Amino acid sequence: SIAGYEANLLDDLTGCIPPYDKFIMPGPKDPQGVVDRIKRETGLDCAIVDVNDKSHYLGLSILAISNDDMKSVVERAVLDNPSGNGVEQTPLVLI
């Protein structure tokens, strides 16, 4: 919490493919803008969520969501990290 929100989103090297396996990856830029655009262009609710294999005890972060009423649904659906945390890269999860 001292370094701020963006520092918490930094990802390590273990799930990266070359040439990104030599860098620390920052979190997404403007996540709320992205989910708002997806909602506007598709009519589908959307969330961008930071989840990993430790989410059960460290928690997960909803970075942006198009419908606040869906927060608990999204949290329950992705808490177990259903798409993995390694070579999957940045998976899309449809709920």
Side-chain angles (χ1 to χ4, degrees):
S1 65
I2 294 172
Y5 158 83
E6 291 84 6
N8 191 43
L9 297 177
L10 292 174
D11 272 339
D12 60 7
L13 308 175
T14 60
C16 296
I17 57 173
Y20 305 107
D21 58 342
K22 305 290 187 232
F23 301 93
I24 294 175
M25 302 302 292
K29 183 179 178 182
D30 190 24
Q32 190 62 52
V34 172
V35 299
D36 291 344
R37 182 176 175 191
I38 290 170
K39 175 68 174 182
R40 184 175 60 251
E41 293 185 13
T42 68
L44 300 173
D45 284 316
C46 178
I48 296 177
V49 184
D50 184 22
V51 182
N52 62 50
D53 292 339
K54 299 173 185 167
S55 292
H56 271 294
Y57 53 92
L58 293 178
L60 59 89
S61 297
I62 296 179
L63 307 181
I65 193 164
S66 61
N67 180 347
D68 284 334
D69 294 335
M70 298 297 295
K71 280 186 178 180
S72 64
V73 171
V74 170
E75 289 172 346
R76 285 192 314 270
V78 300
L79 185 62
D80 286 336
N81 197 18
S83 289
N85 216 61
V87 296
E88 296 84 4
Q89 300 307 303
T90 305
L92 293 175
V93 177
L94 302 177
I95 302 171

